[in-house]
Amino acid sequence: MKIKRLGNSIRSSIVGSLSAVMPAYFGSIGAKVFLTPRRNTSTQHWKTAYDKATRREVEVEGHRVPFWIQGCGPLVLLVHGWERDHFAMGGFVRPLLDGGYTVAAVDLPAHGEADGARAPLPLLAKAITEVVSTLDQPCNIIAHSIGGAMTVLAMEAHGLKPDRVVLISTPRSAEDYAIAQGKHQGLGRRALLNMVEQISRGLGEPLERFRVDNALLTLKAPVLLIHAEDDAIVSLQDAIENAKAGTTQTFWIPTGGHNRILGNETVIENAVQWLVSPIPRQVIPTPDFALSSH
């Protein structure tokens, strides 16, 4: 483990030095990584979560977008994060089914079993909107990371109107997320600036336009923000800024990282409890977490 950490440190140092000399070249690499997700190779912790689900598809701008649905009752759509798939949200399936919900989970374009190699942000938001439209019933949404940001974009730009939304590890803005991703690769300041410019050109609009905090100022659906204080990809400060922007409830846990949080039983239990409550309310804190209203 120490050798691996040392190797990553050396690699980041080398990339940082080279990117200072060749910011355009390394900026293009960062932009490609942001727009072209790798297929998920992480461990599938909930392999059987969708065994009894029905697989369906919608088409979004020529891309086949699959989703899985099971259960009966009010609808909850599960939306995964960057370079993940519907299995990443599998920990929520059984508790939601036991709570009397219908559960649907989507693979966003260029993720999982969906078509495509590139995942421009507006396409992700359209895919979320189209799945909900196809199901044609009121819904709640539990979304992770960039999937949360694109859920908010779908609400802001495409008229998506969920009853309630749970946003887990969601960045304040797409630009914040891109920069965090670039820093993780070791890119220096000039390369990061170049990367943001190239991503904006690829999207056809400024990356800074995709702001969760700004959107939350105008959206009416009740929102629960869940975040781990040790998230190395999306900082807790991002979540705090999102919380300041709207009428939200917040649920911070001390550890859980960016992805492991999806398997945290306390997170799952209280997210479901928040959805079940007749009116979103403060849950009595335990030593494992703190929940508050803003």
Side-chain angles (χ1 to χ4, degrees):
M1 184 65 71
K2 291 182 179 180
I3 294 175
K4 182 177 180 181
R5 285 200 296 266
L6 178 61
N8 287 338
S9 176
I10 293 174
R11 182 184 65 82
S12 294
S13 178
I14 292 173
V15 170
S17 298
L18 292 175
S19 68
V21 179
M22 299 181 288
Y25 174 75
F26 281 90
S28 68
I29 293 176
K32 181 179 180 181
V33 169
F34 185 78
L35 294 170
T36 312
R38 298 166 298 180
R39 292 292 173 170
N40 185 18
T41 59
S42 62
T43 302
Q44 292 181 352
H45 296 287
W46 299 281
K47 292 182 179 180
T48 63
Y50 303 95
D51 281 356
K52 296 183 180 180
T54 300
R55 186 186 189 279
R56 296 173 58 183
E57 292 181 352
V58 295
E59 185 171 312
V60 183
E61 295 188 358
H63 296 78
R64 290 182 301 111
V65 176
F67 63 94
W68 291 258
I69 184 166
Q70 59 186 310
C72 58
L75 174 66
V76 179
L77 177 65
L78 304 176
V79 182
H80 64 79
W82 189 255
E83 295 185 340
R84 299 285 159 169
D85 56 30
H86 66 290
F87 283 107
M89 307 298 290
F92 291 91
V93 173
R94 177 46 53 190
L96 286 169
L97 292 174
D98 290 344
Y101 285 95
T102 295
V103 181
V106 62
D107 275 354
L108 296 173
H111 292 78
E113 297 180 21
D115 285 350
R118 288 168 58 83
L121 302 182
L123 180 63
L124 304 185
K126 289 179 182 177
I128 295 167
T129 305
E130 187 59 31
V131 169
V132 174
S133 177
T134 297
L135 293 170
D136 193 27
Q137 60 178 293
C139 79
N140 303 287
I141 297 178
I142 300 177
H144 176 239
S145 189
I146 206 71
M150 293 306 97
T151 295
V152 172
L153 177 61
M155 295 166 66
E156 180 186 34
H158 302 300
L160 179 66
K161 295 181 179 179
D163 291 338
R164 300 182 188 180
V165 182
V166 178
L167 301 177
I168 304 172
S169 308
T170 296
R172 180 186 68 96
S173 72
E175 184 171 348
D176 287 349
Y177 188 83
I179 290 174
Q181 195 178 65
K183 287 181 176 179
H184 187 69
Q185 298 168 39
L187 301 184
R189 184 182 65 84
R190 292 176 62 202
L192 289 171
L193 292 173
N194 195 281
M195 176 192 70
V196 170
E197 292 176 1
Q198 294 194 48
I199 293 172
S200 296
R201 287 199 297 271
L203 294 174
E205 54 186 317
L207 187 57
E208 65 184 14
R209 174 258 182 274
F210 303 100
R211 289 277 297 270
V212 171
D213 56 344
N214 286 349
L216 288 176
L217 289 170
T218 61
L219 300 178
K220 303 302 182 184
V223 175
L224 173 63
L225 301 173
I226 299 178
H227 215 91
E229 295 177 11
D230 66 344
D231 189 328
I233 302 298
V234 177
S235 71
L236 180 63
Q237 188 59 41
D238 266 26
I240 291 172
E241 293 301 319
N242 285 340
K244 291 178 181 177
T247 303
T248 65
Q249 288 195 299
T250 59
F251 173 22
W252 309 151
I253 60 173
T255 60
H258 188 67
N259 292 302
R260 286 184 294 105
I261 191 172
L262 295 176
N264 184 295
E265 293 183 0
T266 305
V267 166
I268 294 169
E269 176 185 346
N270 285 279
V272 174
Q273 182 181 358
W274 185 80
L275 293 178
V276 170
S277 302
I279 299 174
R281 61 181 177 81
Q282 182 167 339
V283 179
I284 298 173
T286 73
D288 294 325
F289 73 95
L291 179 79
S292 61
S293 298
H294 290 263

